Amino acid sequence: MTKTSQWPVPPDSIRYVIPDPVIRGLSRHPLTRDLYPLAFGHYRRAAGHHMHREHHNDDLLIHCTEGEAYLNVEDEPCLIRAGDLVLIPAGAAHRYTAAPENPWTIHWVHYAGPLAEHFREHMGFTDGIRVQHIGRQPRLLVDFNGLLSVRQTGFRTPGLVHVANRLRQLLAAVPLSVGEAGQAQQPDLDIIHNFMREHLDERITLNQLADLTGLSPAHFATRYRALTGVSPIQHFLHLKVEQACQLLDTTDHSFTQISSLLGYDDNYYFSRLFKKVMGQSPTDYRHTHRH
């Protein structure tokens, strides 16, 4: 059994520990054996919360949403503040204590499995990085709270399979939260992407997008690519193709009609763009996904 703190949990906080026999089952089950939770919870203003582990066999992810705590991992001390995401990997000696005057509020999960190490890298916890400041991320809080949906199911396998896959969803989404947090003093991607979505029926230009940020088109394009890995116009095209897929799936519109709805008078041109992105023609996409 994973070693959780002995902090006395008050009524407004939650600790959920999965029994060892059940964990052994998760480690063998084909739908959970690659990654599975051991314990998780939500502590509110956790006054007196402290822990000291010299040896442990699981990864621990902590998201602090309020207050502060003192953390030491492998003799490297740091102060944890609201908005920090902490990953303590298996095998790392550590201790932490909630700040007496301003105790932290946290969501946390212990987990294990062959994919745990790969998810560390995916989340950006490499080269000794233990803490990332991501600010307040509602999507991440929804994913953490999703783990708690397994409560009152009596440790039954269907509920635990569900929560194991919610854990995978949580870890997979962390880079999206980290990316959003890194947008300080960068183009506001929410404004840009909302503008794109509101103008899917048009052919917008790089100049129009740059005007939203006050940057020159060339400077905007460079910074946008640095943030997202693609050009702004390429992302706009991908949004159009996503919308085309939605219309192919949910309507009987011809592709000519769909092209027109998305700002293309030349449906053959848009068809070529669609195939370049999706790897199949609109006709093949519709046939495959309807049958």
Side-chain angles (χ1 to χ4, degrees):
M1 180 177 291
T2 190
K3 183 181 179 183
T4 60
S5 72
Q6 298 306 304
W7 182 65
V9 181
D12 61 350
S13 296
I14 300 167
R15 178 192 294 137
Y16 188 90
V17 179
I18 300 175
D20 276 354
V22 177
I23 289 172
R24 287 193 290 273
L26 293 177
S27 70
R28 295 189 295 265
H29 194 290
L31 297 180
T32 60
R33 61 192 176 200
D34 290 334
L35 187 79
Y36 48 91
L38 308 175
F40 42 88
H42 179 204
Y43 294 167
R44 297 181 185 273
R45 307 299 290 179
H49 181 219
H50 63 90
M51 191 63 192
H52 184 188
R53 299 182 183 92
E54 287 295 334
H55 306 286
H56 71 120
N57 298 319
D58 57 72
D59 280 22
L60 169 60
L61 186 69
I62 301 173
H63 181 35
C64 175
T65 57
E66 293 182 88
E68 299 176 336
Y70 306 106
L71 171 69
N72 187 298
V73 181
E74 301 286 13
D75 293 324
E76 294 184 9
C78 67
L79 176 66
I80 303 302
R81 297 185 174 91
D84 285 347
L85 187 68
V86 182
L87 190 284
I88 302 173
H94 62 275
R95 59 184 181 273
Y96 49 78
T97 302
E101 301 300 322
N102 187 22
W104 63 358
T105 291
I106 57 173
H107 286 80
W108 55 273
V109 56
H110 289 266
Y111 58 92
L115 286 181
E117 184 176 356
H118 297 290
F119 269 111
R120 284 180 223 158
E121 181 177 352
H122 174 74
M123 292 187 288
F125 292 103
T126 58
D127 301 323
I129 296 173
R130 312 287 194 207
V131 181
Q132 300 186 63
H133 185 76
I134 63 171
R136 182 171 180 79
Q137 297 290 339
R139 174 174 50 206
L140 188 61
L141 295 178
V142 168
D143 287 340
F144 265 110
N145 286 324
L147 300 178
L148 298 171
S149 65
V150 75
R151 290 184 302 146
Q152 299 180 344
T153 60
F155 304 117
R156 293 178 62 245
T157 297
L160 292 171
V161 169
H162 175 71
V163 82
N165 283 279
R166 292 296 296 262
L167 170 64
R168 186 179 298 218
Q169 174 182 313
L170 186 162
L171 302 185
V174 163
L176 302 178
S177 299
V178 172
E180 290 170 3
Q183 292 167 17
Q185 299 180 343
Q186 297 286 357
D188 191 324
L189 295 186
D190 283 340
I191 291 175
I192 295 164
H193 292 161
N194 285 339
F195 181 85
M196 290 181 179
R197 286 188 287 267
E198 290 168 2
H199 294 81
L200 286 176
D201 59 341
E202 301 176 23
R203 302 283 292 276
I204 62 176
T205 66
L206 181 63
N207 286 350
Q208 286 176 281
L209 296 174
D211 285 344
L212 297 173
T213 67
L215 301 173
S216 71
H219 193 191
F220 163 69
T222 298
R223 295 178 72 174
Y224 184 94
R225 182 181 285 276
L227 284 172
T228 66
V230 298
S231 73
I233 297 303
Q234 183 180 9
H235 182 72
F236 185 51
L237 170 61
H238 287 178
L239 290 177
K240 283 178 176 282
V241 171
E242 285 181 349
Q243 182 65 13
C245 290
Q246 174 71 10
L247 294 171
L248 287 167
D249 285 338
T250 60
T251 75
D252 292 319
H253 294 337
S254 69
F255 195 69
T256 298
Q257 292 173 304
I258 292 172
S259 297
S260 179
L261 289 171
L262 294 173
Y264 291 95
D265 295 329
D266 185 347
N267 68 297
Y268 294 105
Y269 173 69
F270 185 46
S271 179
R272 290 194 297 272
L273 294 177
F274 183 100
K275 185 173 183 179
K276 185 175 181 180
V277 173
M278 296 300 298
Q280 59 184 161
S281 70
T283 301
D284 289 342
Y285 176 87
R286 171 169 272 173
H287 177 78
T288 300
H289 292 272
R290 287 200 171 184
H291 302 87

